[in-house]
Amino acid sequence: MVWHILEKIYKLMTRYKEDFTKHVLSIREEGRYRKFLNLSRSAGRFPYSTLEDNGKEVIMWCINDYLGMGQKEFVIEAAVKTLRSMGSGAGGTRNIGGNNSKIVELEKLLARFHNKESALVFTSGYVANDTTLSTLAKILPDLVFFSDEDNHASIIHGIRNSRAEKRIYKHLDIMSLRKALESVDIARPKVIVFESVYSMDGLESPIEEICKLADEFNAMTYIDEVHTVGLYGNNGSGIANLRGCADKIDIIQGTLGKAIGVIGGYISASDEIIEAIRLSAPGFIFTTAISPSTAAAAIASIEHIDRNSEDRKLQSDRVNLLKNMLRKENIKFIENNSHIIPIIIGDPILAKKASDMLLNKYSIFVQHINFPTVPKGTERLRFTPTPCHTEDMVFELVKALTDVFTILKIKQKEIVAA
Ligand code: PLP
């Protein structure tokens, strides 16, 4: 008893330092420790980045600025012009400070882009998911969520924060979703939540079939198009557009931080849905809005994507080239129809070693991806070719990968389910 009290006093006096150290140590022991590289992207020279520690230039192969929009002159110019005319910050929440014209313009553009009535901008894609999903349960009492088991952390947290009932269906498995829907009273409000393309395996949801089930079971549909907005469909607005079923989706969620090349998130939906979320979502109400210059840069980027398909086409060529070369060299990756190329290593230490060797020996930066981002035993390197990667860069990458696999004696397991 006395010992217990003394221990508590000691912990208080040391501000719980030992507990924090222990926590970090356990992460190290699992091989999950991450040191972030100090990199400066070079606008105009993307995909090159400079390592601040030694001034070395490296080629980034794992970046989500999928089209290199973040370095386009007209995107930078739009931001700079608005920064000069409107200043740096939004100045507060929209609830108290009011709208600014650039955000209003951006929301109108996003609504048009997705062929919906309205849109609402948030500070990130994460916040858009978290706050929209948790707020839906306030608006729809007795709501049940149906969520793919591999949905992103922001979706998982949004659903958890809603405290609504949930049914998790097997990854991309339409029969599992059907069974889950059948198990719930048809009269209860339901929302099916899924991603268009999953960021860690690059696989696509069976979106048309999900929409059919939604009709059959009277459920709303919520799609996360974070990894596909800007890249797919007639105008680059995503997979729902590509599959011709955007009108069947009630809420399209996206980010401005990946293919759009800026930062921020949004949802696009009917007037009624957007109005209800605007008035009730804490992640919208209680936080400072994105800056006008950020909104201006996003507008310039989306307008370009909407009208031009060359960047998308070139990206797709580079993706296909890399996939074909990997197949030739017998380097296995998860086969998919998307721009995401995950090469499974299957061991956290080896994945880190491969990533370190690519950086130090070949000036190639690709982050190794470990648990909890992916299941243990499926540790991987994830490559995302962009239109800014040249053919020669692809050849050099594949040569470097072949060398690294030989030196480290990496024996890939059969890729069954990743
Ligand atoms: N949804 C998915 C599927 C994601 O992968 C991510 C981020 O990587 C997000 C949402 C969050 O988007 P943002 O980076 O804009 O916060």
Side-chain angles (χ1 to χ4, degrees):
M1 179 70 177
V2 175
W3 172 245
H4 198 59
I5 293 167
L6 281 174
E7 194 190 5
K8 269 203 163 159
I9 293 171
Y10 171 76
K11 280 198 168 189
L12 245 175
M13 283 170 64
T14 57
R15 319 302 292 174
Y16 299 94
K17 247 184 175 170
E18 216 175 279
D19 296 79
F20 288 99
T21 310
K22 247 195 234 163
H23 181 77
V24 174
L25 202 67
S26 71
I27 291 176
R28 271 191 191 280
E29 279 167 5
E30 283 176 40
R32 292 198 288 121
Y33 186 79
R34 272 205 189 158
K35 194 163 177 281
F36 300 137
L37 287 183
N38 189 0
L39 285 159
S40 292
R41 290 219 280 156
S42 327
R45 280 187 54 68
F46 180 73
Y48 285 105
S49 256
T50 307
L51 279 174
E52 286 303 317
D53 292 350
N54 55 16
K56 189 166 138 180
E57 263 201 332
V58 298
I59 296 177
M60 319 266 291
W61 272 103
C62 55
I63 210 74
N64 287 345
D65 184 356
Y66 293 128
L67 297 175
M69 294 304 292
Q71 69 169 359
K72 294 255 192 213
E73 205 40 50
F74 55 85
V75 174
I76 298 170
E77 249 333 284
V80 170
K81 202 168 144 219
T82 309
L83 193 58
R84 292 243 167 259
S85 63
M86 294 190 173
S88 61
T93 68
R94 291 165 73 181
N95 236 35
I96 292 180
N99 287 329
N100 74 63
S101 56
K102 286 294 169 194
I103 292 196
V104 175
E105 194 184 329
L106 173 60
E107 286 175 344
K108 284 192 180 143
L109 175 61
L110 284 166
R112 270 204 316 276
F113 189 48
H114 288 290
N115 204 17
K116 297 280 176 204
E117 288 170 353
S118 282
L120 193 66
V121 167
F122 302 85
T123 47
S124 73
Y126 188 105
V127 172
N129 272 337
D130 186 11
T131 204
T132 303
L133 291 166
S134 61
T135 305
L136 282 178
K138 277 194 233 165
I139 300 164
L140 303 168
D142 209 24
L143 172 68
V144 186
F145 283 110
F146 296 82
S147 180
D148 184 292
E149 66 183 342
D150 279 6
N151 276 342
H152 187 255
S154 53
I155 295 177
I156 295 171
H157 283 102
I159 292 176
R160 193 175 291 157
N161 291 341
S162 77
R163 301 202 187 128
E165 207 177 304
K166 62 174 185 285
R167 300 289 153 91
I168 308 299
Y169 64 91
K170 286 199 189 117
H171 187 40
L172 310 175
D173 186 332
I174 202 76
M175 280 318 290
S176 170
L177 173 59
R178 169 176 280 284
K179 265 195 197 150
L181 286 161
E182 280 169 352
S183 71
V184 172
D185 182 348
I186 190 81
R188 288 182 72 180
K190 304 176 195 72
V191 180
I192 306 172
V193 190
F194 58 103
E195 297 177 27
S196 50
V197 163
Y198 284 81
S199 67
M200 290 300 139
D201 56 24
L203 297 172
E204 191 181 322
S205 278
I207 174 166
E208 295 103 321
E209 288 156 279
I210 291 176
C211 289
K212 273 190 203 142
L213 278 187
D215 280 347
E216 187 181 335
F217 288 90
N218 215 9
M220 283 178 66
T221 43
Y222 182 108
I223 193 169
D224 174 320
E225 291 247 34
V226 157
H227 290 278
T228 43
V229 155
L231 305 181
Y232 299 93
N234 295 332
N235 64 345
S237 65
I239 295 278
N241 175 291
L242 178 72
R243 299 280 164 236
C245 39
D247 59 330
K248 296 258 177 214
I249 303 285
D250 294 291
I251 303 178
I252 296 177
Q253 180 270 358
T255 184
L256 306 171
K258 300 194 194 289
I260 309 299
V262 193
I263 189 170
Y266 64 90
I267 55 168
S268 191
S270 66
D271 285 338
E272 294 79 8
I273 291 175
I274 295 296
E275 190 69 342
I277 299 293
R278 179 179 74 82
L279 294 169
S280 321
F284 174 79
I285 297 172
F286 298 107
T287 190
T288 298
I290 61 166
S291 68
S293 56
T294 300
I299 293 168
S301 177
I302 296 165
E303 278 177 344
H304 174 84
I305 288 168
D306 192 17
R307 292 195 208 112
N308 300 281
S309 54
E310 295 89 61
D311 297 306
R312 272 180 266 149
K313 165 89 182 58
L314 195 52
Q315 183 217 25
S316 164
D317 289 350
R318 293 293 179 267
V319 168
N320 290 334
L321 178 65
L322 178 54
K323 284 180 174 175
N324 284 334
M325 291 206 56
L326 289 172
R327 285 183 195 116
K328 238 192 197 160
E329 294 300 325
N330 207 17
I331 296 179
K332 293 180 211 118
F333 57 93
I334 302 174
E335 292 282 353
N336 59 46
N337 292 322
S338 76
H339 58 288
I340 294 168
I341 308 179
I343 297 185
I344 306 286
I345 306 292
D347 176 276
I349 315 273
L350 261 187
K352 179 171 176 355
K353 275 192 185 163
S355 166
D356 287 348
M357 191 176 280
L358 284 167
L359 184 73
N360 298 326
K361 203 162 170 217
Y362 302 91
S363 300
I364 285 170
F365 175 49
V366 63
Q367 181 68 49
H368 57 289
I369 299 173
N370 289 353
F371 179 82
T373 311
V374 294
K376 286 180 185 172
T378 72
E379 291 78 8
R380 65 199 70 181
L381 304 176
R382 171 187 177 273
F383 295 86
T384 51
T386 72
C388 310
H389 290 92
T390 62
E391 287 186 350
D392 281 347
M393 287 176 188
V394 176
F395 300 148
E396 281 159 24
L397 169 67
V398 175
K399 169 86 185 64
L401 275 171
T402 318
D403 287 354
V404 168
F405 271 52
T406 310
I407 298 168
L408 294 179
K409 299 188 175 67
I410 294 173
K411 298 221 178 335
Q412 289 183 292
K413 293 181 220 154
E414 265 320 300
I415 299 168
V416 188

